[in-house]
Amino acid sequence: MPSQEVIASSGTFSGDAYAADLIQRRQRSEFQSDIKGILYTVIKKNPDLIPSILTLALNDVMTYDKATKSGGPNGSIRFSSEISRPENQGLSAALSLLEDTKKEIDSNSKGGPIAFADLIQCAAQSALKNTFLASAIRKCGGNEEKGSLLYTAYGSNGQWGLFDRDFGRTDAQEPDPEGRVPQWDKASVQEMKDKFKSVGFGPRQLAVMSGFLGPDQKATEDLLATDPEVAPWVQKYQRSRDTVSETDYQVDLITTLTKLSLLGQKINYEAYTYPVKKIELSKLKL
């Protein structure tokens, strides 16, 4: 039988490990809170770039290749040779905005610089939150206080738990291979369906991601609605957006973005944590 000393030592180790885990979770949570605040403010000041930010996030994801398990949301779109590709035309301003925002985030970070892979997906999250809140405000006749209350009470703000948990992506060190991402504004619906299918998604997810496929969501949805497999989902989400809470649309969009934003990534759950200086209680003057 183990001695009392061993049991006590084991208990202390377990307690220390639990305390360290709590500290790391708090550090990551505080860092994420800072990021969200900065991104929300920046994007609110640049609403015209929201469609580009969403497409930037999707195109960074869509380099994922299921067969080789390569590509995906790894920040490779930041490289000049990738952002300059035809499918990324018009996204440079959004990337430039995020590059400037990264400098502000990094200057306040205690746990190291934020990965572009995380930043780009978090920017998409913030862009959606801005969009959802703006919609709620419109439904309240432009009253910001009532719109904010509507979004908080009935909106999807509480549905981001899994997205927030999976924070700690790894940046690529070189551009992803060419030819993996369609030019959404020139692609046929079949080509879009084929691309979504190649990364494990179907007509439902294609329909809910319509706002990510170009600057004119209505035009994109009109095109998608010509396909018998996609049309029912387009109509479902259009009806949902006409409701007060937009629950079906917002929840499915958050779920899809969360899954897409993890393709090919192995999350480092210790990312952005940092050592905490221990305080020796015996040396404190009480």
Side-chain angles (χ1 to χ4, degrees):
M1 291 180 64
S3 68
Q4 293 296 323
E5 290 81 2
V6 172
I7 294 174
S9 175
S10 176
T12 301
F13 176 79
S14 177
D16 289 345
Y18 178 70
D21 181 59
L22 289 179
I23 290 171
Q24 289 186 340
R25 289 187 188 186
R26 186 182 67 198
Q27 290 173 348
R28 284 164 56 83
S29 177
E30 289 174 351
F31 186 44
Q32 278 185 302
S33 181
D34 290 343
I35 294 167
K36 289 177 183 179
I38 293 171
L39 280 171
Y40 186 85
T41 300
V42 166
I43 292 173
K44 188 176 182 181
K45 292 178 180 178
N46 297 273
D48 55 313
L49 287 179
I50 285 179
S52 296
I53 290 171
L54 297 180
T55 305
L56 184 78
L58 179 63
N59 284 7
D60 197 40
V61 167
M62 284 299 186
T63 58
Y64 179 66
D65 180 68
K66 201 172 181 180
T68 60
K69 300 290 190 292
S70 63
N74 56 21
S76 66
I77 201 168
R78 73 189 188 277
F79 292 110
S80 58
S81 61
E82 188 166 331
I83 193 66
S84 62
R85 293 173 186 170
E87 66 268 22
N88 296 326
Q89 184 177 0
L91 303 183
S92 294
L95 178 61
S96 179
L97 180 69
L98 296 189
E99 287 174 335
D100 290 341
T101 305
K102 186 179 189 301
K103 294 175 184 176
E104 181 180 355
I105 291 171
D106 290 350
S107 68
N108 297 316
S109 173
K110 297 178 182 177
I114 185 172
F116 273 99
D118 279 331
L119 177 62
I120 291 169
Q121 299 307 314
C122 288
Q125 176 194 44
S126 188
L128 287 182
K129 285 186 174 183
N130 268 278
T131 302
F132 295 162
L133 178 57
S135 178
I137 291 172
R138 285 196 302 273
K139 288 175 180 176
C140 291
N143 187 306
E144 290 193 14
E145 183 178 353
K146 289 183 179 179
S148 180
L149 181 62
L150 172 64
Y151 178 53
T152 302
Y154 298 102
S156 59
N157 203 37
Q159 300 294 321
W160 289 101
L162 289 177
F163 183 95
D164 289 339
R165 184 197 67 183
D166 294 321
F167 179 62
R169 298 171 183 81
T170 301
D171 274 346
Q173 298 306 307
E174 60 184 9
D176 282 336
E178 292 188 62
R180 293 184 176 183
V181 184
Q183 287 183 252
W184 303 112
D185 60 336
K186 295 182 179 180
S188 67
V189 179
Q190 188 60 52
E191 287 171 332
M192 295 185 201
K193 286 166 59 179
D194 290 345
K195 181 57 193 179
F196 270 70
K197 183 178 180 180
S198 74
V199 297
F201 294 81
R204 178 176 186 169
Q205 290 76 29
L206 173 60
V208 82
M209 294 292 287
S210 60
F212 286 65
L213 301 174
D216 189 340
Q217 185 174 14
K218 184 181 183 305
T220 300
E221 288 187 332
D222 287 346
L223 175 61
L224 293 176
T226 63
D227 184 276
E229 287 186 314
V230 188
W233 296 108
V234 170
Q235 294 159 6
K236 173 185 173 70
Y237 295 129
Q238 288 175 335
R239 289 193 299 269
S240 178
R241 290 201 300 271
D242 288 336
T243 65
V244 173
S245 64
E246 303 186 6
T247 301
D248 287 347
Y249 171 67
Q250 292 188 11
V251 170
D252 281 7
L253 183 49
I254 292 168
T255 301
T256 301
L257 176 62
T258 299
K259 291 178 179 179
L260 283 168
S261 72
L262 294 173
L263 290 177
Q265 279 284 343
K266 184 176 181 180
I267 300 298
N268 175 13
Y269 292 103
E270 294 183 356
Y272 313 119
T273 61
Y274 50 91
V276 178
K277 186 176 181 181
K278 291 184 178 181
I279 300 175
E280 295 185 32
L281 296 178
S282 61
K283 295 183 179 180
L284 288 178
K285 295 181 180 179
L286 303 176

